[in-house]
Amino acid sequence: MLDSLQGKGCVVTGAARSIGLGIAEKYCKDGAKVAMIDINPEVMEQAERLRAEGGFAKGYILDVTDRDAVLECFVQIEKDIGPIFSLVNNAGIVDQRPFEEITTEMIDKQMAVNVNGTLFCCQGAIKSMRENKMGRIINFSSKSGKTGSALMAHYSAAKGAIIALTHALAFELAGDNIQVNCMCPGITDDSGVWGVVSSKYTENLKLPREEVIKRFTAKIPLKRLTYIEDIVEMVHFLTLKGDYMTGQAYNITGGREMH
């Protein structure tokens, strides 16, 4: 069990904004060497900001659906920050629409980014982790990956696949002392996903945004949406203390999801 992440190489995908950026900031504050990946060029500015604040951060513009580019990027990351200790696969997309409207292209896009992107980044990181007989992989599923969400069948299917991938990798990598877990957040306030989802629910349910939030909050035993900080703290805990935790899909839902 570690006391801090001082000097540890940590990679975060989807790190330009929101949850991924929060995780990268937390890692930097704990002394980690952080590689920040995103398809959004803004990731370079955020990495520069964290360096100006005294952290060790380097940005990489990358399409995680391009396997060759991903593997090349991870070779460069190891040169830049040293051995990779932690990988957080936060990069993902969401879509919402009636089931009958889902096309082949929409399904393929959900799978390409959410599932293939996660798988490719794991492939990029595990060589370093295996060589050092130590590592943490934290994938991002969703509440929707456990109990599918209405109007989000293709997204739910992709996030369910992340949980199965996490289980499989936890078994396969345990012998190399690599722990693999995943996050299953509920509706997360101030996140890009919720911004898309809430506007779509407003459109599809023909309700004002305030009523949509009220309806969803009423389903949560703790009576509030998930905060980005709730997720960041759990990721940090698993990275720092999770040496006997593997193959788990952790709910961060205020009690809405309990299995």
Side-chain angles (χ1 to χ4, degrees):
M1 204 172 283
L2 303 174
D3 293 324
S4 79
L5 296 176
Q6 187 67 43
K8 294 290 186 184
C10 296
V11 182
V12 184
T13 72
R17 297 177 180 176
S18 190
I19 296 168
L21 178 57
I23 293 167
E25 290 172 338
K26 182 73 171 179
Y27 277 167
C28 277
K29 288 177 182 176
D30 204 23
K33 297 179 178 179
V34 184
M36 301 169 63
I37 291 173
D38 207 297
I39 197 169
N40 183 348
E42 188 179 332
V43 72
M44 307 302 288
E45 299 171 18
Q46 295 291 4
E48 183 178 356
R49 175 181 64 81
L50 291 179
R51 288 195 300 273
E53 294 173 359
F56 187 114
K58 186 169 178 60
Y60 302 83
I61 301 170
L62 178 68
D63 178 355
V64 295
T65 69
D66 184 337
R67 183 175 185 269
D68 290 341
V70 169
L71 298 183
E72 290 176 10
C73 183
F74 273 83
V75 170
Q76 186 60 51
I77 286 172
E78 192 170 1
K79 291 177 181 177
D80 293 340
I81 71 172
I84 297 170
F85 171 69
S86 173
L87 166 65
V88 179
N89 282 305
N90 169 69
I93 59 171
V94 67
D95 186 46
Q96 184 194 106
R97 64 192 63 246
F99 179 70
E100 296 88 342
E101 296 178 9
I102 298 171
T103 65
T104 301
E105 291 75 19
M106 293 170 188
I107 296 169
D108 288 347
K109 187 173 182 180
Q110 286 296 314
M111 293 296 176
V113 178
N114 293 321
V115 183
N116 295 357
T118 295
L119 189 151
F120 297 155
C121 288
C122 288
Q123 290 179 327
I126 60 173
K127 180 177 181 291
S128 180
M129 294 179 180
R130 277 181 159 151
E131 288 174 351
N132 290 280
K133 294 292 181 183
M134 180 182 292
R136 307 273 199 269
I137 296 174
I138 301 171
N139 299 322
F140 265 73
S141 179
S142 166
K143 172 264 170 199
S144 300
K146 286 194 171 183
T147 304
S149 298
L151 301 172
M152 300 172 72
H154 49 332
Y155 173 78
S156 298
K159 289 302 185 176
I162 294 295
I163 296 174
L165 174 64
T166 296
H167 292 163
L169 285 180
F171 277 116
E172 187 166 344
L173 302 180
D176 289 307
N177 191 30
I178 300 169
Q179 289 77 47
V180 188
N181 294 288
C182 71
M183 300 289 99
C184 296
I187 296 168
T188 305
D189 204 9
D190 293 329
S191 69
V193 169
W194 177 233
V196 173
V197 170
S198 62
S199 64
K200 283 291 186 178
Y201 272 124
T202 297
E203 176 185 330
N204 289 316
L205 297 178
K206 305 294 189 289
L207 293 171
R209 188 173 185 274
E210 294 74 17
E211 182 61 27
V212 169
I213 294 172
K214 187 177 178 180
R215 284 195 179 193
F216 277 99
T217 304
K219 300 177 182 180
I220 301 170
L222 293 183
K223 299 302 178 188
R224 68 168 173 84
L225 302 183
T226 305
Y227 298 149
I228 289 175
E229 292 78 8
D230 297 325
I231 302 168
V232 169
E233 290 300 325
M234 186 61 176
V235 169
H236 184 261
F237 173 80
L238 285 175
T239 309
L240 194 63
K241 305 295 183 183
D243 55 343
Y244 196 63
M245 300 174 180
T246 198
Q248 304 303 305
Y250 293 99
N251 300 322
I252 310 176
T253 66
R256 186 179 178 192
E257 198 74 25
M258 295 192 181
H259 71 96

